[in-house]
Amino acid sequence: MSELNEEQITSYLLANPDFLVKHPNVLAQLDLQQQAQGATSLVHIQQRQLREHNTRLKNQIDTMSQHAVQNELVYRLLSQCHHQLWSHDDFDTIAKNLHTIICSNNDINDFKLIKYTPDYDELIEHRLTNSGHYLGRITAQERALLFSDDTQSAAIYLIGDEKQPIAILAFGSNNVNHFEPAQDNLFVLDFISALQLRLQKLA
């Protein structure tokens, strides 16, 4: 009879999960040596794997909960911002009122809605050419162009497109990790579309 290979043994044990329960004498002989922990039974290994799996699941749930809370806050702020777009008829008043609303969020330390000038061409080329937005850490030059000295990370959006820019919308945070590329942009991009439409009407 040919010897069973590891794959066949694995398949059999998966198909018969009660095998070791029915044959405790086999289980008793299966104490394994692990370099880091010494003698460890299969039960202990399985318990450790389950704990690690549960920890990963808990971390994922915690992360999802944090994102849900953050998304709800973003939604509420941007709902107020949508209202401001149609409550005033001049750029400066809209920009000022949006600043007041956005900076009521403790995680956002600075906000700018700035009319486009050629001074922003390098920023547009470097950060906004491909997707029209950038989230992450910023350089000292970008900080000086848009924000206060304490700003460490930013979310920057182009209103219009690179051929016909209208304005720059920028959120700044003193927390270096507050804005990062993997963040969800759905609510903000919806606001960007409404803002672009409003600014075109005011032009």
Side-chain angles (χ1 to χ4, degrees), residues 27-62:
L27 180 60
Q29 300 177 55
L30 288 179
D31 282 350
L32 304 179
Q33 292 291 328
Q34 289 206 337
Q35 216 170 17
Q37 297 181 342
T40 305
S41 71
L42 285 177
V43 172
H44 291 157
I45 292 173
Q46 187 178 49
Q47 288 174 340
R48 186 182 69 250
Q49 291 174 337
L50 288 173
R51 283 195 299 270
E52 292 172 353
H53 180 66
N54 287 338
T55 298
R56 288 194 297 270
L57 288 178
K58 183 180 182 300
N59 290 339
Q60 289 174 2
I61 291 171
D62 289 343

Side-chain angles (χ1 to χ4, degrees), residues 131-166:
S131 63
H133 62 269
Y134 168 78
L135 286 83
R137 301 184 183 188
I138 56 175
T139 65
Q141 183 178 358
E142 292 165 344
R143 185 183 300 111
L145 187 64
L146 294 171
F147 299 113
S148 63
D149 292 341
D150 293 332
T151 301
Q152 299 298 319
S153 65
I156 307 172
Y157 300 86
L158 178 63
I159 312 301
D161 59 51
E162 56 194 87
K163 294 182 179 179
Q164 291 184 310
I166 299 172

Side-chain angles (χ1 to χ4, degrees), residues 48 57 80 100 114 126 129 161 179 197:
R48 186 182 69 250
L57 288 178
Q80 297 178 55
T100 300
I114 310 166
H126 181 55
T129 297
D161 59 51
F179 293 110
L197 178 62

